[in-house]
Every structure is written in C-alpha cells, then in structure tokens.
Amino acid sequence: MKPIDYDKVQYKDYARGRAVNAEQLRVWVDAFAAVLPEGRPLDGLDLGSGTGRFTPALADAFGPVTGVEPSVRMREVALGGPPHPGVRYVAGAAEAIPLASGSVDYALMFLSWHHVPDKAAAVRELGRVLRPGGRLLLRGNFRDHHPRPWWLEHFPRGYEADAAIFQPLHEVVETFTSRGWRVHDFRTVTEPSGGTRAAMLGRLRLGTLSLFGQLSASEAEVGLARLEAAVAADPDSPSPTFAEPLLTLQVG
C-alpha cells in the first residue's frame, strides 16, 4: 500500500471520520473481553492508538493502558481529549515500543497492522513487551476475509484497491506462528450501525480511510458522487452493518 502520512492531513479529521459511538464501543469491548484473560486489572497496550478512540474504553473495562502512536499530530489530538487516570499516550512504533519487557498483559492493534513496515520487528517487540501467555488482539482486515461495507461498491476499483492494502489471513498467522506464537481465537464482530447513510457519507467525505490513499483523486471523486446519488434516495435509513474480523494471538 502507499504509505499514509497522518501528520500532514489525516489527523485533522480522523477523530470525526473514524468516530465510534457508545454502542459500538460496548460491542468491541465485549468482543475483547471474550478473548482476554479473566483477571482484572490487566495492563494494556493500545498500539497505533491514533487519536485515542479506544484507549479510554479499554482502561475503563480492563485496567491501565498505554497508547503508543508514531504520529505526533494524532497523539496531540489524543492528549487534547478529556484526561483519564488510567491512560497515557507516548511516542513509539510497533517496531520500537517504549515499554519494559514483560510489562503488559495484552495489546490491541485496531486497523493498524497494515501500516507496519517491518512486521518481523513488530512481532519481536510485541513478544518482548507481553508477559508469557499475553495476547494480541489484532483487528485487521485480511485480503481473503475482507469485509464488504455497503458503500465500497460505488468506488471505481473500490473492493480491489481496499483489499490489496491487507495481507491474506494465512500470511499474518504465519508471521506470528513461525516465531513461536499461536492462534488463540478468530471470529467476526458485527459493529452496530454508526448512524444514517447520510451521516456515513459525511464521514467518508473527510477521507480518513486508508482506501483514499490508494485511489486517485478522480476515482475518489467519482466514487463519492455515485455514493451521494445512492444515498439521496434514502438518506435517513440506518447505515448497514457488516462483519469485521478479529484475530487473537498468544505469545509463549
């Protein structure tokens, strides 16, 4: 995929474009709880925490969380939000996590794995910071298990361009299992609707999805125009839901 520089444009609108409501957060936290160890509190790592859309909810549910994010601007947005006693945000990346060895019980990577350039180094670092038996919650798309959101079909090369961003599931699994990890769980989660079709169109217009970094300007313009015409027929109906993959891996 073409790399995306979140410090240039994306940070401005990311929190609005990728917002999750309270019901959506509850569904995701419940899904995470189902695959995490039962003990509480747990020390957590939100790796690729961005603007902090999940970090406070993780702290509320499971215990203290460190959000690690390479983008200066995205961290600034996160730090500008309401303070949480169980949350801190620090600079770092998947290949260089600024935490002590064996210091966390779990890590969440929510749609950030595909941004990691050196995946082997990331696996090593995750294995270092997780305690024995620690788990990685990898909410990633996979080329061969790719969601089909209702709006994607309106973009030229939409599905093809979006799926190409991600690795096949077996490739991701092999990256970890060849280094001593094991698969703990694989499931799909259906996130509740985020609002109306018109509201989803508004968020898409902010251009905060990785897809827009792969399409040409004309392809994005054509897709949004097609989508606008489709939404105009029924703007107030709920945005349809779809199943999203969640892979849980265990170290040691």
Side-chain angles (χ1 to χ4, degrees):
M1 63 174 283
K2 298 175 184 175
I4 296 172
D5 188 344
Y6 284 92
D7 283 324
K8 286 188 175 179
V9 178
Q10 292 264 17
Y11 76 93
K12 296 178 182 178
D13 296 313
Y14 192 91
R16 287 189 298 146
R18 305 295 290 275
V20 287
N21 61 35
E23 186 181 5
Q24 291 171 322
L25 272 177
R26 179 187 59 78
V27 167
W28 280 113
V29 168
D30 286 349
F32 302 152
V35 296
L36 284 177
E38 293 183 359
R40 303 288 185 271
L42 298 173
D43 294 310
L45 163 63
D46 188 3
L47 185 53
S49 52
T51 57
R53 59 180 178 153
F54 285 100
T55 325
L58 294 173
D60 287 339
F62 307 121
V65 183
T66 300
V68 172
E69 170 58 43
S71 165
V72 174
R73 297 297 190 186
M74 296 280 271
R75 287 198 315 275
E76 286 177 350
V77 174
L79 288 165
H84 190 296
V87 171
R88 66 177 182 133
Y89 297 105
V90 298
E95 302 94 332
I97 302 171
L99 299 181
S101 297
S103 60
V104 296
D105 297 298
Y106 75 92
L108 171 67
M109 295 189 73
F110 200 100
L111 290 174
S112 57
W113 177 252
H114 60 288
H115 290 296
V116 177
D118 189 342
K119 291 179 168 52
V123 173
R124 287 194 297 272
E125 272 292 85
L126 283 161
R128 180 184 65 79
V129 300
L130 282 166
R131 293 177 178 130
R135 293 173 190 167
L136 168 64
L137 312 180
L138 203 160
R139 162 61 189 108
N141 289 338
F142 306 100
R143 196 173 304 160
D144 50 347
H145 291 73
H146 196 277
R148 290 185 177 268
W150 61 276
W151 47 264
L152 194 58
E153 66 188 44
H154 296 285
F155 288 84
R157 298 190 308 113
Y159 184 82
E160 173 191 348
D162 202 42
I165 294 171
F166 304 99
Q167 298 172 281
L169 176 61
H170 69 86
E171 191 173 295
V172 176
V173 168
E174 169 66 17
T175 300
F176 284 88
T177 57
S178 64
R179 293 166 174 84
W181 294 60
R182 69 177 182 85
V183 174
H184 175 74
D185 187 84
F186 179 74
R187 64 183 63 200
T188 58
V189 178
T190 299
E191 183 181 278
S193 176
T196 64
R197 289 176 181 259
M200 186 65 207
L201 172 61
R203 289 194 291 274
L204 287 169
R205 284 197 173 279
L206 296 173
T208 57
L209 294 177
S210 297
L211 169 67
F212 291 104
Q214 316 309 308
L215 299 176
S216 67
S218 62
E219 286 173 329
E221 184 178 348
V222 166
L224 287 168
R226 289 177 181 171
L227 185 57
E228 185 172 294
V231 168
D234 193 10
D236 297 324
S237 66
S239 180
T241 61
F242 53 92
E244 304 175 60
L246 175 64
L247 172 65
T248 304
L249 298 140
Q250 183 166 314
V251 66

mmCIF file of all heavy atoms in Angstrom, residues 48 102 108 143-144 164 199 225 241 247:
data_model
loop_
_atom_site.group_PDB
_atom_site.id
_atom_site.type_symbol
_atom_site.label_atom_id
_atom_site.label_comp_id
_atom_site.label_asym_id
_atom_site.label_seq_id
_atom_site.Cartn_x
_atom_site.Cartn_y
_atom_site.Cartn_z
ATOM 1 N N GLY A 48 -0.708 1.823 18.085
ATOM 2 C CA GLY A 48 -1.310 2.548 16.973
ATOM 3 C C GLY A 48 -2.596 3.193 17.460
ATOM 4 O O GLY A 48 -3.646 3.099 16.837
ATOM 5 N N GLY A 102 8.008 -7.580 29.233
ATOM 6 C CA GLY A 102 7.072 -8.289 30.101
ATOM 7 C C GLY A 102 6.204 -7.384 30.949
ATOM 8 O O GLY A 102 5.882 -7.716 32.086
ATOM 9 N N LEU A 108 -3.686 -4.255 21.859
ATOM 10 C CA LEU A 108 -4.696 -4.097 20.811
ATOM 11 C C LEU A 108 -4.068 -3.376 19.635
ATOM 12 O O LEU A 108 -3.419 -2.344 19.805
ATOM 13 C CB LEU A 108 -5.885 -3.284 21.326
ATOM 14 C CG LEU A 108 -6.913 -2.867 20.253
ATOM 15 C CD1 LEU A 108 -7.658 -4.084 19.690
ATOM 16 C CD2 LEU A 108 -7.899 -1.838 20.811
ATOM 17 N N ARG A 143 -6.982 -9.921 3.175
ATOM 18 C CA ARG A 143 -7.336 -9.912 1.758
ATOM 19 C C ARG A 143 -8.352 -10.995 1.409
ATOM 20 O O ARG A 143 -9.230 -10.784 0.560
ATOM 21 C CB ARG A 143 -6.065 -10.080 0.920
ATOM 22 C CG ARG A 143 -6.229 -9.719 -0.549
ATOM 23 C CD ARG A 143 -4.886 -9.749 -1.245
ATOM 24 N NE ARG A 143 -3.923 -8.876 -0.584
ATOM 25 C CZ ARG A 143 -2.598 -8.977 -0.720
ATOM 26 N NH1 ARG A 143 -2.086 -9.938 -1.475
ATOM 27 N NH2 ARG A 143 -1.797 -8.137 -0.102
ATOM 28 N N ASP A 144 -8.252 -12.140 2.083
ATOM 29 C CA ASP A 144 -9.150 -13.252 1.776
ATOM 30 C C ASP A 144 -10.313 -13.363 2.766
ATOM 31 O O ASP A 144 -11.123 -14.283 2.674
ATOM 32 C CB ASP A 144 -8.366 -14.570 1.739
ATOM 33 C CG ASP A 144 -7.490 -14.789 2.966
ATOM 34 O OD1 ASP A 144 -7.293 -13.822 3.741
ATOM 35 O OD2 ASP A 144 -7.009 -15.911 3.157
ATOM 36 N N ALA A 164 -6.419 -4.922 -1.445
ATOM 37 C CA ALA A 164 -4.984 -5.008 -1.744
ATOM 38 C C ALA A 164 -4.122 -4.395 -0.638
ATOM 39 O O ALA A 164 -2.919 -4.673 -0.553
ATOM 40 C CB ALA A 164 -4.685 -4.326 -3.074
ATOM 41 N N ALA A 199 -25.121 10.262 7.231
ATOM 42 C CA ALA A 199 -24.035 10.531 8.173
ATOM 43 C C ALA A 199 -22.764 9.799 7.765
ATOM 44 O O ALA A 199 -21.658 10.342 7.868
ATOM 45 C CB ALA A 199 -24.460 10.116 9.586
ATOM 46 N N ALA A 225 -19.366 10.829 -5.667
ATOM 47 C CA ALA A 225 -20.527 11.309 -6.416
ATOM 48 C C ALA A 225 -21.559 10.194 -6.596
ATOM 49 O O ALA A 225 -22.771 10.406 -6.444
ATOM 50 C CB ALA A 225 -20.086 11.851 -7.774
ATOM 51 N N THR A 241 -24.867 -2.678 8.471
ATOM 52 C CA THR A 241 -23.744 -3.244 9.207
ATOM 53 C C THR A 241 -23.062 -4.343 8.394
ATOM 54 O O THR A 241 -23.609 -4.820 7.400
ATOM 55 C CB THR A 241 -24.208 -3.827 10.548
ATOM 56 O OG1 THR A 241 -25.147 -4.880 10.297
ATOM 57 C CG2 THR A 241 -24.858 -2.750 11.409
ATOM 58 N N LEU A 247 -8.667 -11.240 15.044
ATOM 59 C CA LEU A 247 -7.734 -12.343 15.244
ATOM 60 C C LEU A 247 -7.022 -12.134 16.578
ATOM 61 O O LEU A 247 -6.475 -11.070 16.821
ATOM 62 C CB LEU A 247 -6.719 -12.380 14.103
ATOM 63 C CG LEU A 247 -5.535 -13.345 14.229
ATOM 64 C CD1 LEU A 247 -5.990 -14.793 14.234
ATOM 65 C CD2 LEU A 247 -4.522 -13.097 13.090
#
